[in-house]
Amino acid sequence: MVDAFVPSTKRGLRKFINDVRGCNTLQDEQVRVRKELANIRQKFANAKALKAYDRKKYAWKLVYIYMLGHEVEFGHMEVINLASSKNNSEKLVGYVAMGVLMGHDEDLARLVINTIRSDLVSGSAFAQRLALTFTANVGGHELTQALSADVLRVLYLPESKPSTRRKATLCALSLWRVNQDLIDPSEYLSVVAIPALEQTFEMGLNLAVLGTLKSVARADPMAYQAVYPVVIRLLEKVVLGESVPSTYSYHGVACPLVQVRALEVLALYDFPTDAELRKTLVHILTKVLSCNDDINPQSMNQSNANNAVLVEAINLVIQYGEQVDREMMEKVVAILVKFVRLSDANVKYLGLAGMSKLAQMAQREGLASVLDMIRDHHHTVRQSLEDQDGSIRKRALDLMFSMCDKGNAHEIVGELVEYLKTVSYNLKADTVRKIAILCDRFSDDRPWYVDTILHLIATAGDFVPEDMWHRLVQVVTNNEDTKAYAAAAVYKMMQPSHVHETTIRVGSYLLGEFGYFLVEGNQQSAQDLFDAINQHLDYAGNKTRAMMLHAYAKLVLLYPQLHEDVTLVMDAFRDSSDPELQQRACEYFALAQQDRVRQQAVFEPMPAFPEAQGEEAAETARPNPTPESVKAVDAQVETQVEDLLNLADKSSFTPAPEPELKFGKEPRRVWLANVLCEPKGVLFEDHFVQIGVQLQFQKAAGKLMFFVGNKTGWVLDQALCTVLGNDALEVVAQPLEPAVLQPRAQSRFSVAVTCHKPFADRVPIKVSFQANGQFEFIDVDLPVSVLSFASPCSFPDADFDQRWDAMGDRVQQTTPLDHVGLERIDAVVAKLTALKLAPTLSADKRTLRGATTIQTATVNPKTGKPAVVGVLVRMTCVAGSSSLAVRAVNVAAAVGTLTTVKDVLLVL
Amino acid sequence: MINFILLISRQGKTRLKKWFVPCPERDQFRTIKEVSSLILNRSPKVCNFLEWRDYKLCYKRYASLFFIACIEQNDNELLALEMVHHFVECLDRYFGNVCELDLIFNFHKAYYILDEILISGELQESSKRAVLHHISEQDPLI
């Protein structure tokens, strides 16, 4: 009988629970619960008349109803009143019930703040502990803001009992998670942590302090460095001296929880440099690592406790890597091997996970001997891939991946490809990804790489992400010797009458680009290539069909005998309901009527991809990135892109570097001058908004991303941006999104520009929004000049002068620059370089020569290539002033260059 | 740290739940559903750890109840199991051979005992005697 040991649950509550348990259907339960809720609501309507016993009973009933998953919309006030009661019993019930009922609701938490505060200062240890527990478990901004000072006071109070203090430290930890400035490291260490860790009779307090340190010291290890030797001494006492109260020994192991936490705190720091500490630590680790040998576990729990400590010690040794001696490393390997071979699933799991970490460390630090030791157990790992337990299979897969290097790459990839046939569904995507990464990393043997990736696409196409086959295309395009092989391989793959969608895409792309290798080598005819692709047309998706059309267009240019077939297909798609397909079909059809030169210009073979991109792709395929590091990388990318204006930093806006006002020029001209020669920057700022921009130009096209940030504390709505281009500069702008600017948030819009001919005037942008009912208008210039489309060219001075003279009878523009003299010539060179003018300084440092070409998108009818306009710049400097001259065949190009250089040099 | 702790019966009924990180009500119920179906479907011979989203679930079955703790990636799995076991031992000592019915009828006491063992997702006391001492002191009050 339960009741013999425990004072009975209140009778009404017991009956209610019994009733609910007796309900056969959900409907019955709902009826019973509704009835009870109506009853409680009625009783609470006159709560003052209720006896304490009933108030507690109804509070528990509400908690029970809430736990069943029903909504509880009332009664919170009554529960809060219980907590504020002077009676200990009511207070206890109130706090525990609130802890369950209120969850993390900040609005409700606000109602309890006064009760908690008065309990924290009350001096009653009982009330303090309840208040601390509640505050710690609920946390959140409201409580942190209101109660931090009171919680810290209890924590630092000399007369606080250990049992109160351990709750206070964990409560402070909970609030610290909201506001990291809350705990002052030196005060925490000197008042709480160090005194606590120097004793061993209150291990509960030690546990709480170590748990707190584990989080707070991770955020700032240097600030808490002073605790390091104290933790080592504590560990020494626990592990070696065993001066621990017997109630804290757990199945014969001295306080395993404290041991693990202490090792976790040590892991926040590097291997100690101090000889004495180092000796003690090595001694402790040796002892922990060897305790596995001499204890014969009596029970499951004892071995669990032992192994928990062991795993943590192993992690620490792996973290130290080469710094520990070889013997200890061998010991670690031996223990992990033992773990992996055991039949106990948990230990096996941890063994595989530990070995993965070890392999990663060995790869990183180049410890070949350790890798060899791991590789000796290749077979066991291979077997674990087939384990009945999904968790273990996942760990084994990770380990296979980590232990792969140049020497065994072919073997491991082969095994994984084989494994792909039997792998369970939820591991398949991961396996495919890992194979692709390994292939990429060890892809010296290109045919092997091509074969493996194509095989993956064929056998597990659904699990192959887009970027994987894009990478394949990249590798093939960039390596001349691989093209013919890849074309042949993919041709073979396209043969079956039904293949995976991704296969069709790769096939279309590679055969369209490199199919000619097969025809030239007399392996296949052009018709064969066309048929290999076209047989899949019927069932391919529209996106794939678009790629197929492109491949046909490329093929027909090389092999006019395909003209009839291709025209037929193009014609069929000219009225396709898919706009993309329709457009392509029409365009390709129209192109086919054009002269050959133009067609060839459009369908030039793809140039090699920039290697940086390849590196990046390989970079994203880093071994098994831990979620944290991925998040960190993501966050980094995020800040780079999203946070151009530093808006994520809630504390304040970082103002644009305050431009020095020179010559009475307004700041926006200075901002513009900066943005004209930088890839990003602030374009405008006032007390409402800050506008930033990121620019990217390639040849005659450019893309600008604008960020409009709301600096105010209120909403700015109806935000609108308009940019109108002209016949020289084509502008396509996307609307500003979102059009409502939340306080301290930012909206963005992008603008694509194309230069059709040189231009001298700037294009204005108009930004408008409504602030407090009033419209505000901002006019700024689009930070695009004729030089944005420049590509520098350089030739010797003599050559330059010859060209300069040859252009003498054409257009020349000159202007004096009064504020830039000889003494600032280096800064001028830097600016002109940023403007892509390729400046060269004459030997006497008095003349600067620069030359560039402006790229346009207009096709020159004579050459069939986009027209370029050459521009020459000459600057002659004397002390204190200089003069600038520009010559170009086109007057707009000359004027545009001159004004741009002048504007940029203005900020010097 | 422990993100949340769950007690689920073999039939999938929640006997106790406690979140130590803010999590909206609706997400809690969704999580419980997802986690319990994952765990109830695992065979008894496999290991007690399971990767779930960015976290690890460590669970153990005691008679008809599954005790589940959700911990972070770099936390020690065995330690989580030991914390769960410590909680079970405390319940066992308090109720005297605890069974599921005890936890159904005395759900409030289970919450109270948990409050004495874990706060902010960290263990605060690893001595059973100390925990039981505090609980028995206040037992008449609840």
Side-chain angles (χ1 to χ4, degrees):
Chain A
M1 271 294 283
V2 173
D3 292 359
F5 299 95
V6 185
S8 75
T9 305
K10 294 173 175 55
R11 215 177 56 196
L13 178 60
R14 207 179 168 86
K15 180 163 184 310
F16 174 56
I17 295 175
N18 249 332
D19 284 357
V20 171
R21 277 171 54 78
C23 294
N24 288 325
T25 63
L26 202 63
Q27 278 82 8
D28 288 353
E29 186 183 301
Q30 263 167 358
V31 170
R32 180 68 187 88
V33 166
R34 259 187 232 134
K35 187 177 150 203
E36 193 61 42
L37 281 173
N39 176 34
I40 299 172
R41 196 190 287 267
Q42 195 203 342
K43 299 278 185 195
F44 275 167
N46 195 4
K48 290 222 170 81
L50 282 179
K51 281 187 292 186
Y53 176 90
D54 289 322
R55 279 218 294 274
K56 288 191 271 180
K57 181 177 75 181
Y58 293 128
W60 287 136
K61 278 187 181 175
L62 284 181
V63 172
Y64 186 72
I65 291 170
Y66 169 83
M67 271 176 54
L68 290 174
H70 301 280
E71 221 164 299
V72 174
E73 289 163 333
F74 67 97
H76 299 99
M77 271 328 284
E78 279 72 18
V79 176
I80 292 172
N81 287 341
L82 276 176
S84 342
S85 159
K86 293 230 160 26
N87 177 304
N88 274 355
S89 168
E90 286 176 38
K91 192 176 273 302
L92 177 68
V93 173
Y95 268 116
V96 178
M98 280 197 314
V100 183
L101 268 185
M102 301 196 351
H104 297 272
D105 189 328
E106 301 242 333
D107 290 332
L108 288 172
R110 207 174 293 141
L111 300 173
V112 217
I113 288 173
N114 283 331
T115 309
I116 300 177
R117 184 172 291 140
S118 65
D119 283 337
L120 284 178
V121 297
S122 71
S124 143
F126 173 76
Q128 276 182 348
R129 280 205 292 267
L130 284 177
L132 287 171
T133 308
F134 176 81
T135 313
N137 285 343
V138 174
H141 291 275
E142 285 293 334
L143 294 187
T144 306
Q145 218 167 18
L147 296 168
S148 299
D150 297 296
V151 170
L152 289 179
R153 208 185 51 83
V154 177
L155 177 64
Y156 295 146
L157 211 60
E159 52 267 32
S160 287
K161 283 191 197 166
S163 61
T164 310
R165 188 166 274 181
R166 63 163 200 247
K167 279 185 191 280
T169 178
L170 289 176
C171 183
L173 168 66
S174 174
L175 303 184
W176 173 87
R177 286 182 191 135
V178 177
N179 171 15
Q180 309 224 333
D181 296 329
L182 193 115
I183 297 179
D184 172 53
S186 58
E187 188 174 13
Y188 183 74
L189 287 182
S190 61
V191 181
V192 182
I194 293 179
L197 298 178
E198 275 171 350
Q199 51 82 34
T200 51
F201 37 91
E202 285 289 349
M203 295 302 267
L205 179 59
N206 279 346
L207 198 56
V209 167
L210 288 169
T212 312
L213 278 176
K214 187 187 151 200
S215 295
V216 296
R218 174 171 296 145
D220 184 5
M222 295 321 286
Y224 292 90
Q225 215 177 8
V227 85
Y228 191 80
V230 186
V231 176
I232 291 194
R233 275 200 298 278
L234 172 73
L235 204 56
E236 187 185 13
K237 279 184 228 164
V238 176
V239 177
L240 307 175
E242 299 187 359
S243 57
V244 176
S246 62
T247 54
Y248 285 94
S249 97
Y250 182 86
H251 295 275
V253 187
C255 206
L257 295 150
V258 166
Q259 291 193 36
V260 171
R261 282 279 177 265
L263 286 167
E264 281 175 335
V265 171
L266 293 186
L268 301 176
Y269 298 90
D270 288 333
F271 198 44
T273 41
D274 178 81
E276 196 60 35
L277 281 180
R278 195 178 262 231
K279 201 175 135 205
T280 319
L281 182 59
V282 169
H283 193 49
I284 294 169
L285 288 174
T286 317
K287 170 90 179 164
V288 171
L289 292 179
S290 60
C291 76
N292 200 39
D293 304 338
D294 40 65
I295 295 180
N296 206 359
Q298 303 293 317
S299 72
M300 176 76 172
N301 290 310
Q302 184 180 15
S303 66
N304 258 0
N306 251 329
N307 290 339
V309 180
L310 202 52
V311 165
E312 215 47 62
I314 289 173
N315 281 345
L316 196 59
V317 174
I318 293 177
Q319 182 188 322
Y320 294 152
E322 238 178 335
Q323 288 162 292
V324 298
D325 58 18
R326 200 187 146 77
E327 203 179 322
M328 189 175 282
M329 198 52 89
E330 275 170 10
K331 180 89 196 162
V332 163
V333 177
I335 294 173
L336 288 175
V337 168
K338 196 172 140 195
F339 274 16
V340 172
R341 295 205 157 160
L342 277 180
S343 59
D344 179 350
N346 285 351
V347 176
K348 191 170 188 175
Y349 175 96
L350 294 170
L352 288 167
M355 226 180 232
S356 256
K357 274 187 205 156
L358 186 68
Q360 278 168 28
M361 182 277 294
Q363 298 260 19
R364 203 170 47 238
E365 305 208 351
L367 300 181
S369 60
V370 176
L371 273 180
D372 284 340
M373 284 190 267
I374 297 174
R375 258 185 241 122
D376 289 343
H377 305 281
H378 186 137
H379 183 68
T380 321
V381 181
R382 176 77 189 81
Q383 273 180 337
S384 304
L385 275 179
E386 310 288 349
D387 199 280
Q388 55 164 339
D389 184 351
S391 298
I392 288 182
R393 290 198 297 269
K394 171 96 183 32
R395 289 281 81 85
L397 179 62
D398 284 351
L399 178 51
M400 287 286 270
F401 178 78
S402 318
M403 63 197 244
C404 184
D405 67 1
K406 234 188 178 85
N408 58 6
H410 282 242
E411 187 188 356
I412 286 189
V413 167
E415 284 178 1
L416 289 179
V417 168
E418 188 63 26
Y419 178 54
L420 205 55
K421 288 182 190 158
T422 54
V423 67
S424 59
Y425 182 82
N426 51 2
L427 272 188
K428 202 159 182 174
D430 202 19
T431 313
V432 168
R433 199 178 63 92
K434 289 198 157 77
I435 295 174
I437 293 172
L438 290 179
C439 283
D440 199 46
R441 198 181 295 162
F442 306 106
S443 63
D444 298 345
D445 179 2
R446 295 240 170 62
W448 171 70
Y449 170 76
V450 171
D451 281 342
T452 316
I453 300 288
L454 287 179
H455 180 79
L456 285 184
I457 295 172
T459 52
D462 286 340
F463 296 89
V464 175
E466 289 262 297
D467 54 353
M468 201 182 284
W469 75 262
H470 291 173
R471 175 80 185 134
L472 170 71
V473 164
Q474 224 176 58
V475 169
V476 174
T477 311
N478 290 5
N479 294 287
E480 204 55 45
D481 52 339
T482 320
K483 291 175 176 173
Y485 182 86
V490 84
Y491 177 78
K492 216 166 116 196
M493 262 180 66
M494 295 284 276
Q495 288 313 304
S497 61
H498 194 289
V499 295
H500 192 272
E501 186 94 13
T502 309
T503 307
I504 310 178
R505 289 186 187 178
V506 193
S508 308
Y509 190 96
L510 290 181
L511 290 181
E513 278 305 317
F514 310 120
Y516 64 89
F517 279 102
L518 300 182
V519 182
E520 278 171 11
N522 285 329
Q523 289 162 315
Q524 317 295 340
S525 71
Q527 190 65 40
D528 289 340
L529 293 185
F530 177 78
D531 291 342
I533 304 176
N534 201 42
Q535 61 167 328
H536 306 294
L537 186 69
D538 289 342
Y539 64 92
N542 279 344
K543 202 175 156 199
T544 310
R545 281 175 173 173
M547 296 173 131
M548 295 166 91
L549 292 189
H550 188 77
Y552 297 159
K554 285 214 161 193
L555 282 178
V556 76
L557 190 67
L558 287 177
Y559 308 109
Q561 67 266 37
L562 294 175
H563 184 77
E564 205 169 310
D565 288 319
V566 172
T567 315
L568 214 62
V569 180
M570 295 294 181
D571 203 30
F573 280 106
R574 281 168 67 185
D575 51 4
S576 162
S577 59
D578 184 89
E580 168 74 18
L581 269 181
Q582 193 188 61
Q583 188 185 354
R584 279 196 190 222
C586 288
E587 284 174 3
Y588 294 147
F589 193 83
L591 260 175
Q593 321 297 326
Q594 301 271 337
D595 63 291
R596 258 189 99 69
V597 181
R598 178 165 294 187
Q599 288 188 40
Q600 251 154 5
V602 173
F603 293 114
E604 260 188 30
M606 292 297 285
F609 291 86
E611 229 358 271
Q613 220 174 325
E615 285 290 306
E616 227 168 81
E619 201 69 13
T620 48
R622 267 289 133 100
N624 212 9
T626 62
E628 264 172 56
S629 68
V630 171
K631 265 183 226 151
V633 171
D634 281 351
Q636 223 176 351
V637 173
E638 201 107 303
T639 25
Q640 275 167 6
V641 182
E642 298 275 347
D643 195 27
L644 192 65
L645 307 182
N646 287 327
L647 275 180
D649 179 12
K650 291 193 184 70
S651 53
S652 73
F653 264 80
T654 326
E658 191 58 46
E660 258 181 85
L661 298 187
K662 282 184 181 157
F663 314 109
K665 298 294 179 212
E666 47 175 339
R668 65 175 77 190
R669 295 197 58 177
V670 183
W671 283 322
L672 179 71
N674 283 332
V675 178
L676 278 175
C677 44
E678 302 279 340
K680 66 178 184 183
V682 172
L683 187 59
F684 178 80
E685 184 175 15
D686 63 4
H687 56 282
F688 289 115
V689 293
Q690 192 183 40
I691 303 176
V693 63
Q694 254 182 357
L695 310 102
Q696 231 181 343
F697 291 98
Q698 198 176 19
K699 291 195 173 160
K703 194 168 157 63
L704 290 82
M705 179 65 85
F706 288 89
F707 302 81
V708 183
N710 180 356
K711 283 170 67 180
T712 64
W714 56 87
V715 174
L716 304 176
D717 56 359
Q718 303 195 26
L720 198 68
C721 288
T722 36
V723 201
L724 284 180
N726 49 39
D727 58 340
L729 185 68
E730 183 190 332
V731 174
V732 182
Q734 303 290 330
L736 182 72
E737 273 184 359
V740 177
L741 288 164
Q742 296 299 335
R744 308 212 159 258
Q746 62 183 31
S747 293
R748 46 161 80 183
F749 67 101
S750 68
V751 173
V753 291
T754 316
C755 173
H756 290 294
K757 57 184 189 195
F759 56 94
D761 298 329
R762 295 241 161 72
V763 172
I765 321 175
K766 290 185 191 305
V767 179
S768 63
F769 50 86
Q770 201 177 10
N772 295 333
Q774 257 196 320
F775 272 103
E776 296 288 334
F777 297 94
I778 297 171
D779 287 317
V780 283
D781 283 342
L782 191 70
V784 176
S785 74
V786 70
L787 288 179
S788 302
F789 307 102
S791 64
C793 41
S794 60
F795 19 76
D797 285 356
D799 210 5
F800 179 93
D801 288 339
Q802 199 185 344
R803 284 165 193 254
W804 181 264
D805 292 340
M807 245 191 244
D809 54 339
R810 311 274 182 103
V811 190
Q812 167 159 350
Q813 296 283 327
T814 45
T815 183
L817 294 167
D818 296 335
H819 67 289
V820 188
L822 201 55
E823 38 304 317
R824 317 182 63 174
I825 195 77
D826 291 338
V828 173
V829 172
K831 285 287 179 196
L832 293 192
T833 312
L835 285 174
K836 296 180 271 191
L837 282 170
T840 50
L841 201 55
S842 64
D844 60 355
K845 295 204 167 187
R846 284 179 180 275
T847 313
L848 258 178
R849 298 177 172 85
T852 195
T853 52
I854 312 293
Q855 312 280 326
T856 70
T858 313
V859 176
N860 185 336
K862 278 182 227 158
T863 58
K865 285 186 177 163
V868 292
V869 179
V871 175
L872 300 176
V873 177
R874 186 147 80 170
M875 207 169 144
T876 18
C877 306
V878 290
S881 77
S882 54
S883 97
L884 174 71
V886 179
R887 284 184 181 183
V889 284
N890 179 306
V891 68
V895 177
T897 307
L898 188 83
T899 43
T900 309
V901 174
K902 210 170 111 184
D903 284 350
V904 167
L905 292 185
L906 183 79
V907 296
L908 269 185
Chain B
M1 75 177 280
I2 296 184
N3 278 302
F4 60 81
I5 195 155
L6 285 178
L7 263 65
I8 309 269
S9 76
R10 266 173 71 195
Q11 288 74 36
K13 284 237 188 250
T14 315
R15 296 299 177 209
L16 181 146
K17 70 176 170 92
K18 185 112 196 164
W19 254 258
F20 296 103
V21 288
C23 175
E25 208 62 33
R26 203 168 345 127
D27 294 353
Q28 288 187 15
F29 284 111
R30 200 179 303 142
T31 303
I32 292 176
K33 230 176 178 175
E34 194 183 328
V35 165
S36 50
S37 80
L38 276 176
I39 285 178
L40 294 177
N41 287 328
R42 279 173 73 80
S43 111
K45 277 185 204 147
V46 301
C47 70
N48 297 111
F49 317 124
L50 189 62
E51 275 185 19
W52 174 74
R53 300 190 190 165
D54 281 348
Y55 304 100
K56 291 187 287 201
L57 298 171
C58 299
Y59 69 95
K60 193 155 185 193
R61 186 177 152 181
Y62 292 91
S64 58
L65 277 183
F66 284 90
F67 285 66
I68 304 163
C70 170
I71 57 171
E72 288 176 355
Q73 274 296 340
N74 46 8
D75 282 339
N76 188 316
E77 292 95 339
L78 284 176
L79 194 77
L81 281 190
E82 285 318 291
M83 292 199 235
V84 164
H85 187 70
H86 177 56
F87 179 39
V88 174
E89 282 192 334
C90 289
L91 288 173
D92 203 51
R93 293 247 185 124
Y94 177 76
F95 287 106
N97 222 347
V98 67
C99 68
E100 194 182 341
L101 273 186
D102 292 331
L103 296 183
I104 294 173
F105 285 103
N106 296 291
F107 65 92
H108 45 323
K109 287 175 186 156
Y111 275 108
Y112 181 61
I113 295 172
L114 184 62
D115 274 351
E116 279 302 314
I117 293 172
L118 284 172
I119 58 173
S120 320
E122 296 283 348
L123 196 70
Q124 53 161 323
E125 181 55 85
S126 66
S127 153
K128 284 186 280 291
R129 191 188 290 171
V131 172
L132 289 166
H133 172 73
H134 279 287
I135 295 169
S136 58
E137 233 175 35
Q138 283 139 30
D139 197 51
L141 300 177
I142 202 151

